[in-house]
Amino acid sequence: MSVVAVVPARGGSKGIHRKNLRLLNGFPLIVHAIHHAQQARLIDRVIVSTEDEEIAHVARNAGAEVPFLRPAELATDDAVDLGAFQHVLHYLKSEEGVVPELLVQVRATSPVRRPVFLDLSVRRMRDRPEVDSLRSISTSAQTPYKMWHYTEDGLIDPVVRYAEVPDWFDMPRQALPPAFIQDGLVDVVRPRTVLELKTMAGEKLLGLFHAEPAIDVDDVEALTRAGASSIWDKPVSALRGDNLFAMGGETGSEAVAVTTLPVLAEIGVDVDDVADAEIRARAAGAGELVLRCDLDTSLSDTTLRSLSALAKEANARRVMLPVRDSGDPRQVALGRRKELRRIADYMTGQGVELCLDWDLRPEVLYELLGIIGHASINVAACVESCGALSVDELDDLELLAHRIGVLYVRDADSEPETWISQMPLFLKRLSDGHFEGDIVMAAPRRRAVQIDDRAGLLTSLLATSGVSN
Protein backbone atom coordinates (compact mmCIF):
# COMPACT_ATOMS: atom_id res chain seq x y z
CA MET A 1 0.00 0.00 0.00
CA SER A 2 1.12 3.53 -0.70
CA VAL A 3 1.33 6.75 1.22
CA VAL A 4 -0.29 9.56 -0.74
CA ALA A 5 0.31 13.24 -0.06
CA VAL A 6 -2.69 15.42 -0.83
CA VAL A 7 -2.10 19.13 -1.43
CA PRO A 8 -5.50 20.88 -1.32
CA ALA A 9 -5.36 24.16 -3.22
CA ARG A 10 -8.49 25.93 -4.32
CA GLY A 11 -8.38 29.03 -6.47
CA GLY A 12 -10.34 31.33 -4.19
CA SER A 13 -9.09 32.94 -0.98
CA LYS A 14 -10.03 35.93 1.14
CA GLY A 15 -6.94 37.11 3.01
CA ILE A 16 -4.65 37.10 -0.05
CA HIS A 17 -5.98 37.04 -3.60
CA ARG A 18 -4.95 33.82 -5.40
CA LYS A 19 -2.98 32.89 -2.31
CA ASN A 20 -1.79 29.46 -3.41
CA LEU A 21 -0.01 31.03 -6.38
CA ARG A 22 1.66 33.85 -4.45
CA LEU A 23 5.44 33.75 -4.66
CA LEU A 24 7.57 32.93 -1.63
CA ASN A 25 11.33 33.09 -2.20
CA GLY A 26 10.82 32.65 -5.93
CA PHE A 27 8.27 29.82 -5.95
CA PRO A 28 4.46 29.76 -5.60
CA LEU A 29 3.23 28.53 -2.22
CA ILE A 30 1.79 25.40 -3.77
CA VAL A 31 5.16 24.48 -5.31
CA HIS A 32 6.83 24.58 -1.89
CA ALA A 33 4.25 22.09 -0.59
CA ILE A 34 4.75 19.84 -3.62
CA HIS A 35 8.53 19.90 -3.23
CA HIS A 36 8.28 19.06 0.48
CA ALA A 37 6.13 16.02 -0.27
CA GLN A 38 8.39 14.94 -3.14
CA GLN A 39 11.48 15.12 -0.94
CA ALA A 40 9.90 13.07 1.87
CA ARG A 41 11.17 9.53 1.33
CA LEU A 42 8.09 7.79 2.84
CA ILE A 43 5.59 9.50 0.54
CA ASP A 44 4.96 7.62 -2.70
CA ARG A 45 2.65 9.96 -4.59
CA VAL A 46 1.79 13.66 -4.55
CA ILE A 47 -1.73 14.58 -5.68
CA VAL A 48 -2.99 18.15 -5.91
CA SER A 49 -6.71 18.63 -5.40
CA THR A 50 -7.91 21.84 -7.04
CA GLU A 51 -10.80 23.19 -9.09
CA ASP A 52 -8.57 25.82 -10.67
CA GLU A 53 -6.98 25.26 -14.11
CA GLU A 54 -4.04 27.62 -13.49
CA ILE A 55 -3.17 25.96 -10.18
CA ALA A 56 -3.43 22.56 -11.87
CA HIS A 57 -1.01 23.71 -14.59
CA VAL A 58 1.52 25.01 -12.05
CA ALA A 59 1.23 21.83 -10.01
CA ARG A 60 1.83 19.56 -13.02
CA ASN A 61 4.87 21.58 -14.02
CA ALA A 62 6.22 21.06 -10.48
CA GLY A 63 5.90 17.30 -10.89
CA ALA A 64 2.68 16.66 -8.96
CA GLU A 65 -0.23 14.56 -10.18
CA VAL A 66 -3.47 16.37 -10.96
CA PRO A 67 -5.64 13.51 -12.24
CA PHE A 68 -8.89 15.42 -11.88
CA LEU A 69 -10.34 18.83 -11.13
CA ARG A 70 -12.18 19.04 -7.85
CA PRO A 71 -15.91 19.72 -8.17
CA ALA A 72 -16.71 23.39 -7.63
CA GLU A 73 -19.04 22.64 -4.72
CA LEU A 74 -16.08 21.17 -2.84
CA ALA A 75 -14.00 24.33 -3.30
CA THR A 76 -16.23 27.05 -1.88
CA ASP A 77 -15.28 29.40 0.97
CA ASP A 78 -17.11 27.23 3.49
CA ALA A 79 -15.98 23.86 2.09
CA VAL A 80 -14.17 21.62 4.57
CA ASP A 81 -11.26 19.23 4.07
CA LEU A 82 -13.42 16.13 4.45
CA GLY A 83 -15.20 16.56 1.11
CA ALA A 84 -11.96 17.01 -0.80
CA PHE A 85 -10.38 13.94 0.79
CA GLN A 86 -13.46 11.81 0.20
CA HIS A 87 -13.29 12.88 -3.45
CA VAL A 88 -9.62 11.85 -3.71
CA LEU A 89 -10.29 8.44 -2.16
CA HIS A 90 -13.34 7.75 -4.31
CA TYR A 91 -11.32 8.60 -7.42
CA LEU A 92 -8.40 6.36 -6.47
CA LYS A 93 -10.68 3.44 -5.67
CA SER A 94 -13.00 3.73 -8.68
CA GLU A 95 -10.44 4.71 -11.33
CA GLU A 96 -7.32 2.87 -10.13
CA GLY A 97 -8.61 0.26 -7.70
CA VAL A 98 -6.25 1.70 -5.07
CA VAL A 99 -6.83 2.31 -1.37
CA PRO A 100 -3.78 4.04 0.13
CA GLU A 101 -2.33 3.12 3.48
CA LEU A 102 -2.27 6.76 4.63
CA LEU A 103 -3.17 10.20 3.36
CA VAL A 104 -0.83 13.03 4.32
CA GLN A 105 -2.29 16.52 4.09
CA VAL A 106 0.43 18.97 3.03
CA ARG A 107 -1.02 22.46 3.10
CA ALA A 108 0.42 25.07 0.76
CA THR A 109 -0.34 27.71 3.41
CA SER A 110 2.21 26.18 5.82
CA PRO A 111 5.40 26.61 3.77
CA VAL A 112 7.88 26.71 6.68
CA ARG A 113 8.32 22.98 6.84
CA ARG A 114 11.14 20.46 6.50
CA PRO A 115 10.46 17.34 4.40
CA VAL A 116 11.82 15.00 7.08
CA PHE A 117 9.01 16.23 9.33
CA LEU A 118 6.53 14.56 6.97
CA ASP A 119 8.48 11.30 7.25
CA LEU A 120 8.33 11.49 11.03
CA SER A 121 4.53 11.93 10.90
CA VAL A 122 4.15 8.84 8.68
CA ARG A 123 6.33 6.78 11.00
CA ARG A 124 4.29 7.90 14.00
CA MET A 125 1.09 6.67 12.36
CA ARG A 126 2.67 3.36 11.38
CA ASP A 127 3.82 2.88 14.97
CA ARG A 128 0.23 3.35 16.22
CA PRO A 129 -2.14 1.34 13.98
CA GLU A 130 -5.04 1.88 16.37
CA VAL A 131 -4.92 5.66 15.87
CA ASP A 132 -7.35 7.27 13.40
CA SER A 133 -5.37 10.39 12.57
CA LEU A 134 -2.43 12.58 13.50
CA ARG A 135 -2.15 16.35 13.76
CA SER A 136 0.91 18.46 14.34
CA ILE A 137 0.54 20.61 17.43
CA SER A 138 2.69 23.32 18.94
CA THR A 139 2.66 25.52 22.01
CA SER A 140 -0.21 28.00 22.01
CA ALA A 141 0.72 31.64 22.49
CA GLN A 142 -2.57 32.16 24.33
CA THR A 143 -4.18 29.93 26.94
CA PRO A 144 -7.83 28.95 26.28
CA TYR A 145 -8.49 29.26 30.02
CA LYS A 146 -8.44 33.03 29.62
CA MET A 147 -10.71 33.15 26.57
CA TRP A 148 -14.35 34.28 26.51
CA HIS A 149 -17.31 34.32 24.19
CA TYR A 150 -20.59 36.22 24.15
CA THR A 151 -23.78 34.50 25.28
CA GLU A 152 -27.20 35.11 23.81
CA ASP A 153 -28.06 37.65 26.55
CA GLY A 154 -24.98 39.76 25.78
CA LEU A 155 -22.86 38.59 28.70
CA ILE A 156 -19.50 36.83 28.43
CA ASP A 157 -18.78 33.25 29.42
CA PRO A 158 -15.51 31.27 29.57
CA VAL A 159 -14.71 29.27 26.46
CA VAL A 160 -13.01 26.58 28.57
CA ARG A 161 -13.71 25.85 32.22
CA TYR A 162 -11.07 24.75 34.71
CA ALA A 163 -12.97 22.93 37.43
CA GLU A 164 -9.92 22.53 39.69
CA VAL A 165 -10.06 26.07 41.12
CA PRO A 166 -12.46 29.02 41.20
CA ASP A 167 -11.68 32.16 39.20
CA TRP A 168 -9.08 30.29 37.15
CA PHE A 169 -9.15 33.07 34.56
CA ASP A 170 -7.44 35.37 37.08
CA MET A 171 -4.59 32.94 37.74
CA PRO A 172 -1.12 33.47 36.21
CA ARG A 173 -0.85 31.82 32.81
CA GLN A 174 2.06 29.67 34.06
CA ALA A 175 -0.17 28.15 36.76
CA LEU A 176 -2.78 26.93 34.28
CA PRO A 177 -2.63 23.61 32.40
CA PRO A 178 -0.50 23.77 29.25
CA ALA A 179 -2.39 24.15 25.99
CA PHE A 180 -1.34 23.28 22.47
CA ILE A 181 -2.77 24.31 19.14
CA GLN A 182 -3.14 22.42 15.88
CA ASP A 183 -0.98 24.38 13.47
CA GLY A 184 -1.59 22.80 10.07
CA LEU A 185 2.02 21.85 9.44
CA VAL A 186 0.93 18.30 8.68
CA ASP A 187 -2.12 16.07 9.13
CA VAL A 188 -2.15 12.33 8.50
CA VAL A 189 -5.39 10.36 8.25
CA ARG A 190 -6.33 6.78 7.49
CA PRO A 191 -8.74 6.17 4.59
CA ARG A 192 -11.14 4.29 6.89
CA THR A 193 -11.40 7.41 9.06
CA VAL A 194 -12.47 9.48 6.06
CA LEU A 195 -14.74 6.93 4.41
CA GLU A 196 -16.23 4.99 7.32
CA LEU A 197 -16.17 7.48 10.18
CA LYS A 198 -16.77 10.39 7.77
CA THR A 199 -14.36 12.69 9.57
CA MET A 200 -10.79 13.93 9.22
CA ALA A 201 -10.13 13.33 12.92
CA GLY A 202 -11.73 10.11 14.08
CA GLU A 203 -12.01 9.02 17.67
CA LYS A 204 -8.33 8.46 18.45
CA LEU A 205 -6.08 11.37 17.53
CA LEU A 206 -2.32 11.42 17.84
CA GLY A 207 -0.60 14.72 18.51
CA LEU A 208 2.84 15.29 17.01
CA PHE A 209 4.52 17.85 19.25
CA HIS A 210 7.21 19.85 17.51
CA ALA A 211 9.34 22.95 17.87
CA GLU A 212 9.13 24.11 14.26
CA PRO A 213 8.34 27.77 13.45
CA ALA A 214 4.89 26.93 12.07
CA ILE A 215 3.43 29.87 10.12
CA ASP A 216 -0.05 29.84 8.62
CA VAL A 217 0.03 32.15 5.61
CA ASP A 218 -3.35 33.84 5.87
CA ASP A 219 -2.31 37.43 5.15
CA VAL A 220 0.55 39.42 3.65
CA GLU A 221 2.24 39.91 7.02
CA ALA A 222 2.39 36.14 7.57
CA LEU A 223 3.77 35.68 4.05
CA THR A 224 6.56 38.13 4.90
CA ARG A 225 7.37 36.28 8.13
CA ALA A 226 7.45 32.98 6.30
CA GLY A 227 9.92 34.39 3.79
CA ALA A 228 12.19 35.61 6.59
CA SER A 229 12.27 32.27 8.43
CA SER A 230 15.69 30.82 9.14
CA ILE A 231 14.53 27.56 7.59
CA TRP A 232 15.56 29.00 4.22
CA ASP A 233 19.12 29.70 5.36
CA LYS A 234 21.81 27.91 3.40
CA PRO A 235 23.29 25.00 5.38
CA VAL A 236 26.81 25.51 6.67
CA SER A 237 29.34 22.87 7.62
CA ALA A 238 28.53 20.93 10.77
CA LEU A 239 32.27 21.06 11.47
CA ARG A 240 33.57 24.59 11.52
CA GLY A 241 37.08 23.93 12.81
CA ASP A 242 36.35 25.07 16.35
CA ASN A 243 33.57 22.75 17.50
CA LEU A 244 35.20 19.30 17.59
CA PHE A 245 36.30 18.15 21.05
CA ALA A 246 37.38 15.17 23.08
CA MET A 247 35.46 14.49 26.27
CA GLY A 248 37.46 15.21 29.38
CA GLY A 249 36.89 14.80 33.08
CA GLU A 250 36.78 17.73 35.45
CA THR A 251 40.42 18.52 34.79
CA GLY A 252 40.67 17.09 31.30
CA SER A 253 44.06 15.49 32.08
CA GLU A 254 43.14 11.97 30.95
CA ALA A 255 41.75 13.12 27.61
CA VAL A 256 44.78 15.33 26.95
CA ALA A 257 46.99 12.27 27.31
CA VAL A 258 45.30 10.38 24.47
CA THR A 259 44.38 12.99 21.89
CA THR A 260 45.47 16.32 20.53
CA LEU A 261 41.83 17.38 20.09
CA PRO A 262 40.82 20.21 22.42
CA VAL A 263 39.13 18.99 25.58
CA LEU A 264 35.60 19.76 26.70
CA ALA A 265 35.60 19.45 30.49
CA GLU A 266 32.33 19.18 32.43
CA ILE A 267 32.26 20.74 35.88
CA GLY A 268 29.57 19.50 38.25
CA VAL A 269 27.90 22.31 40.19
CA ASP A 270 26.44 21.63 43.61
CA VAL A 271 23.73 24.22 44.14
CA ASP A 272 24.70 24.38 47.82
CA ASP A 273 28.36 25.05 47.05
CA VAL A 274 28.81 27.06 43.86
CA ALA A 275 32.13 28.37 45.17
CA ASP A 276 33.57 24.84 45.08
CA ALA A 277 32.56 24.53 41.42
CA GLU A 278 34.34 27.80 40.74
CA ILE A 279 37.57 26.39 42.22
CA ARG A 280 37.29 23.24 40.10
CA ALA A 281 36.50 25.28 36.99
CA ARG A 282 39.74 27.21 37.44
CA ALA A 283 41.62 23.94 37.98
CA ALA A 284 40.42 22.68 34.59
CA GLY A 285 42.99 24.94 32.98
CA ALA A 286 42.73 26.01 29.37
CA GLY A 287 40.15 23.44 28.28
CA GLU A 288 36.65 24.45 27.21
CA LEU A 289 34.09 24.14 30.01
CA VAL A 290 30.48 23.09 30.47
CA LEU A 291 28.78 23.59 33.83
CA ARG A 292 26.50 20.73 34.85
CA CYS A 293 23.86 21.35 37.50
CA ASP A 294 21.40 18.75 38.83
CA LEU A 295 17.84 19.60 37.82
CA ASP A 296 16.38 17.37 40.54
CA THR A 297 17.42 20.05 43.02
CA SER A 298 15.15 23.07 43.22
CA LEU A 299 16.89 25.97 41.51
CA SER A 300 16.05 29.18 43.30
CA ASP A 301 16.56 32.62 41.77
CA THR A 302 19.64 33.00 43.97
CA THR A 303 21.09 29.75 42.63
CA LEU A 304 20.34 30.80 39.05
CA ARG A 305 22.10 34.11 39.59
CA SER A 306 25.15 32.35 41.03
CA LEU A 307 25.14 29.77 38.23
CA SER A 308 24.95 32.32 35.44
CA ALA A 309 27.63 34.46 37.09
CA LEU A 310 29.92 31.43 37.32
CA ALA A 311 29.25 30.56 33.67
CA LYS A 312 30.27 34.05 32.61
CA GLU A 313 33.36 34.18 34.82
CA ALA A 314 34.56 30.74 33.70
CA ASN A 315 33.68 31.52 30.06
CA ALA A 316 31.68 28.28 29.96
CA ARG A 317 30.20 27.25 26.64
CA ARG A 318 26.87 26.41 28.26
CA VAL A 319 25.04 25.35 31.40
CA MET A 320 23.89 21.73 31.22
CA LEU A 321 20.90 20.51 33.18
CA PRO A 322 20.69 16.68 33.33
CA VAL A 323 17.16 15.26 33.39
CA ARG A 324 17.05 11.70 34.67
CA ASP A 325 13.41 11.07 35.50
CA SER A 326 11.85 7.63 35.18
CA GLY A 327 8.53 7.10 33.45
CA ASP A 328 7.03 8.66 30.34
CA PRO A 329 9.31 11.51 29.17
CA ARG A 330 6.34 13.34 27.65
CA GLN A 331 4.61 13.45 31.01
CA VAL A 332 7.86 14.55 32.62
CA ALA A 333 8.14 17.37 30.07
CA LEU A 334 4.56 18.45 30.74
CA GLY A 335 5.11 18.30 34.50
CA ARG A 336 8.37 20.27 34.39
CA ARG A 337 7.44 22.59 31.54
CA LYS A 338 6.84 25.60 33.79
CA GLU A 339 10.08 25.04 35.71
CA LEU A 340 12.17 24.62 32.56
CA ARG A 341 10.69 27.70 30.96
CA ARG A 342 11.43 29.75 34.09
CA ILE A 343 15.07 28.63 34.07
CA ALA A 344 15.35 29.28 30.33
CA ASP A 345 13.88 32.77 30.69
CA TYR A 346 16.45 33.59 33.36
CA MET A 347 19.42 32.16 31.49
CA THR A 348 18.41 33.87 28.26
CA GLY A 349 18.18 37.17 30.07
CA GLN A 350 21.72 36.66 31.36
CA GLY A 351 23.09 35.67 27.95
CA VAL A 352 23.82 32.08 29.04
CA GLU A 353 23.05 29.07 26.84
CA LEU A 354 20.87 26.44 28.50
CA CYS A 355 21.15 22.81 27.38
CA LEU A 356 19.11 19.86 28.68
CA ASP A 357 20.90 16.54 28.91
CA TRP A 358 18.04 14.07 28.51
CA ASP A 359 19.19 10.52 27.85
CA LEU A 360 16.68 9.81 25.09
CA ARG A 361 16.54 9.16 21.36
CA PRO A 362 16.68 12.23 19.09
CA GLU A 363 13.09 11.67 17.87
CA VAL A 364 11.83 11.85 21.47
CA LEU A 365 14.00 14.85 22.30
CA TYR A 366 12.58 16.62 19.26
CA GLU A 367 9.01 16.20 20.48
CA LEU A 368 9.89 17.13 24.07
CA LEU A 369 11.19 20.48 22.87
CA GLY A 370 7.81 21.04 21.26
CA ILE A 371 6.04 20.23 24.52
CA ILE A 372 8.28 22.57 26.52
CA GLY A 373 7.85 25.24 23.88
CA HIS A 374 10.82 27.53 24.61
CA ALA A 375 12.95 28.51 21.62
CA SER A 376 16.15 29.14 23.59
CA ILE A 377 16.38 25.68 25.17
CA ASN A 378 18.77 23.29 23.44
CA VAL A 379 19.51 19.65 24.19
CA ALA A 380 22.41 17.22 24.34
CA ALA A 381 22.18 14.17 22.09
CA CYS A 382 24.26 11.02 21.85
CA VAL A 383 25.14 8.83 18.87
CA GLU A 384 26.74 5.45 19.56
CA SER A 385 27.99 4.98 16.00
CA CYS A 386 27.58 7.49 13.21
CA GLY A 387 28.22 4.74 10.65
CA ALA A 388 25.49 2.45 11.98
CA LEU A 389 22.64 4.97 11.97
CA SER A 390 19.52 3.93 10.07
CA VAL A 391 17.79 6.25 7.63
CA ASP A 392 15.05 6.86 10.21
CA GLU A 393 17.65 7.77 12.83
CA LEU A 394 19.34 10.16 10.40
CA ASP A 395 15.93 11.77 9.80
CA ASP A 396 15.48 12.27 13.53
CA LEU A 397 18.96 13.71 13.88
CA GLU A 398 18.36 16.18 11.05
CA LEU A 399 15.05 17.29 12.58
CA LEU A 400 16.69 17.87 15.96
CA ALA A 401 19.98 19.27 14.65
CA HIS A 402 19.18 22.98 15.00
CA ARG A 403 18.37 22.47 18.69
CA ILE A 404 21.43 20.38 19.67
CA GLY A 405 23.91 22.22 21.86
CA VAL A 406 26.34 19.30 22.14
CA LEU A 407 26.38 16.01 20.26
CA TYR A 408 28.32 13.15 21.87
CA VAL A 409 29.73 10.65 19.35
CA ARG A 410 30.87 7.33 20.80
CA ASP A 411 32.46 5.68 17.76
CA ALA A 412 35.00 4.15 20.10
CA ASP A 413 35.68 0.95 18.16
CA SER A 414 36.45 2.58 14.83
CA GLU A 415 39.91 3.18 13.49
CA PRO A 416 40.41 6.85 12.56
CA GLU A 417 40.34 6.10 8.82
CA THR A 418 37.11 4.12 9.15
CA TRP A 419 35.56 6.79 11.33
CA ILE A 420 36.32 9.46 8.76
CA SER A 421 34.85 7.37 5.93
CA GLN A 422 31.59 6.93 7.88
CA MET A 423 31.17 10.59 8.68
CA PRO A 424 30.17 12.26 5.36
CA LEU A 425 26.44 11.41 5.35
CA PHE A 426 26.26 11.94 9.10
CA LEU A 427 27.74 15.44 8.77
CA LYS A 428 25.61 16.21 5.71
CA ARG A 429 22.39 15.48 7.60
CA LEU A 430 23.55 17.61 10.52
CA SER A 431 24.34 20.44 8.11
CA ASP A 432 20.95 20.12 6.41
CA GLY A 433 19.38 20.50 9.85
CA HIS A 434 21.39 23.70 10.51
CA PHE A 435 23.42 22.22 13.34
CA GLU A 436 25.41 24.87 15.23
CA GLY A 437 26.50 22.98 18.33
CA ASP A 438 29.62 21.10 19.41
CA ILE A 439 30.63 17.57 18.43
CA VAL A 440 32.33 15.69 21.25
CA MET A 441 34.18 12.40 20.92
CA ALA A 442 32.97 11.03 24.21
CA ALA A 443 35.20 8.66 26.21
CA PRO A 444 37.04 7.36 23.12
CA ARG A 445 39.37 4.38 23.39
CA ARG A 446 43.04 5.05 22.91
CA ARG A 447 43.37 3.40 19.50
CA ALA A 448 40.50 5.41 18.10
CA VAL A 449 42.05 8.79 18.83
CA GLN A 450 45.74 8.44 18.11
CA ILE A 451 45.51 11.37 15.74
CA ASP A 452 48.61 13.56 15.73
CA ASP A 453 47.37 16.21 13.33
CA ARG A 454 44.07 17.85 14.33
CA ALA A 455 44.17 20.09 11.29
CA GLY A 456 44.54 17.03 9.08
CA LEU A 457 41.57 15.38 10.76
CA LEU A 458 39.37 18.43 10.24
CA THR A 459 40.53 18.79 6.65
CA SER A 460 39.60 15.16 5.94
CA LEU A 461 36.20 15.48 7.55
CA LEU A 462 35.35 18.81 5.94
CA ALA A 463 36.45 17.57 2.53
CA THR A 464 34.03 14.64 2.73
CA SER A 465 31.13 16.32 4.53
CA GLY A 466 29.39 17.45 1.36
CA VAL A 467 29.17 21.02 2.63
CA SER A 468 31.76 23.70 1.94
CA ASN A 469 33.32 25.24 5.00
Side-chain angles (χ1 to χ4, degrees):
M1 292 190 291
S2 61
V3 176
V4 176
V6 178
V7 182
R10 64 190 188 91
S13 58
K14 291 184 177 180
I16 304 177
H17 179 64
R18 306 287 286 168
K19 176 169 57 179
N20 287 307
L21 294 176
R22 285 294 293 266
L23 294 181
L24 174 67
N25 293 342
F27 294 95
L29 283 177
I30 188 173
V31 173
H32 285 289
I34 292 170
H35 286 171
H36 294 160
Q38 289 170 334
Q39 292 168 34
R41 62 182 178 80
L42 297 182
I43 290 177
D44 303 297
R45 302 176 63 178
V46 183
I47 294 178
V48 170
S49 172
T50 183
E51 88 296 359
D52 188 274
E53 290 281 5
E54 184 181 4
I55 291 177
H57 176 72
V58 171
R60 290 190 183 101
N61 285 344
E65 298 180 48
V66 190
F68 51 77
L69 288 181
R70 193 195 312 178
E73 63 269 21
L74 297 180
T76 61
D77 287 344
D78 56 357
V80 295
D81 293 333
L82 179 62
F85 276 69
Q86 288 175 329
H87 182 255
V88 169
L89 286 171
H90 286 315
Y91 173 88
L92 291 175
K93 187 172 183 179
S94 63
E95 297 299 321
E96 301 181 13
V98 171
V99 178
E101 174 192 1
L102 296 169
L103 295 176
V104 181
Q105 181 164 203
V106 185
R107 292 180 176 84
T109 51
S110 298
V112 183
R113 175 199 297 114
R114 288 183 285 173
V116 288
F117 185 69
L118 302 179
D119 287 328
L120 178 61
S121 68
V122 172
R123 284 165 42 207
R124 281 287 182 271
M125 284 293 284
R126 285 177 168 171
D127 289 343
R128 300 289 299 274
E130 80 283 6
V131 168
D132 297 319
S133 67
L134 172 148
R135 298 191 177 201
S136 60
I137 55 177
S138 50
T139 302
S140 175
Q142 302 292 331
T143 172
Y145 296 100
K146 290 180 177 285
M147 293 182 180
W148 305 79
H149 66 88
Y150 275 105
T151 61
E152 292 183 357
D153 54 4
L155 301 177
I156 60 174
D157 196 53
V159 171
V160 178
R161 295 187 179 275
Y162 184 35
E164 301 294 328
V165 295
D167 295 340
W168 66 89
F169 36 78
D170 289 329
M171 294 175 62
R173 176 181 57 83
Q174 295 84 355
L176 294 167
F180 302 91
I181 187 170
Q182 63 181 46
D183 50 43
L185 203 59
V186 67
D187 295 347
V188 186
V189 64
R190 300 190 192 281
R192 62 173 168 78
T193 305
V194 175
L195 296 177
E196 298 173 18
L197 301 180
K198 294 180 171 52
T199 172
M200 290 294 291
E203 299 173 353
K204 296 181 179 179
L205 283 76
L206 188 62
L208 180 55
F209 295 97
H210 67 90
E212 300 292 298
I215 299 176
D216 180 20
V217 176
D218 200 35
D219 51 37
V220 175
E221 189 272 335
L223 185 66
T224 301
R225 285 191 291 114
S229 171
S230 61
I231 201 169
W232 311 108
D233 292 348
K234 182 180 178 181
V236 296
S237 177
L239 280 180
R240 298 177 298 280
D242 62 349
N243 69 330
L244 180 62
F245 298 91
M247 187 74 250
E250 291 211 341
T251 65
S253 57
E254 181 181 353
V256 170
V258 298
T259 181
T260 57
L261 290 177
V263 172
L264 187 70
E266 294 189 354
I267 305 300
V269 180
D270 186 336
V271 296
D272 296 323
D273 193 356
V274 176
D276 176 65
E278 183 177 350
I279 294 172
R280 286 182 285 115
R282 290 173 179 167
E288 298 282 353
L289 301 179
V290 169
L291 301 184
R292 179 179 289 268
C293 185
D294 190 356
L295 185 59
D296 288 332
T297 305
S298 177
L299 298 180
S300 65
D301 289 342
T302 300
T303 299
L304 289 174
R305 280 193 294 270
S306 299
L307 191 58
S308 61
L310 175 58
K312 287 183 178 180
E313 181 177 345
N315 197 27
R317 296 182 76 85
R318 63 187 57 84
V319 169
M320 190 89 73
L321 296 182
V323 185
R324 294 289 181 266
D325 298 77
S326 59
D328 184 355
R330 292 172 180 82
Q331 292 303 315
V332 172
L334 284 168
R336 291 202 159 183
R337 180 172 177 265
K338 181 173 67 173
E339 177 187 10
L340 293 172
R341 290 173 66 91
R342 179 182 74 88
I343 297 171
D345 283 338
Y346 190 95
M347 291 294 179
T348 301
Q350 300 299 312
V352 176
E353 180 182 331
L354 177 65
C355 188
L356 302 181
D357 187 1
W358 220 320
D359 191 17
L360 299 166
R361 300 188 310 275
E363 63 176 274
V364 180
L365 289 172
Y366 174 77
E367 292 195 49
L368 294 183
L369 288 174
I371 295 174
I372 297 168
H374 199 294
S376 71
I377 296 179
N378 289 327
V379 293
C382 181
V383 172
E384 292 298 328
S385 175
C386 64
L389 291 173
S390 67
V391 178
D392 287 350
E393 290 169 329
L394 285 169
D395 286 350
D396 296 332
L397 200 61
E398 180 181 330
L399 272 172
L400 183 66
H402 67 298
R403 298 292 294 274
I404 296 177
V406 55
L407 178 63
Y408 298 103
V409 180
R410 302 184 186 276
D411 281 355
D413 293 323
S414 298
E415 297 291 347
E417 296 78 8
T418 304
W419 189 70
I420 292 173
S421 69
Q422 293 173 336
M423 290 290 281
L425 179 58
F426 173 75
L427 293 174
K428 178 66 165 57
R429 296 301 293 272
L430 284 177
S431 299
D432 288 346
H434 296 92
F435 173 76
E436 296 183 351
D438 295 329
I439 297 177
V440 179
M441 296 177 65
R445 295 180 183 174
R446 182 178 299 273
R447 71 188 183 105
V449 292
Q450 290 297 327
I451 301 168
D452 297 325
D453 181 9
R454 175 175 178 255
L457 170 65
L458 288 173
T459 300
S460 298
L461 292 176
L462 292 170
T464 58
S465 66
V467 179
S468 59
N469 190 22

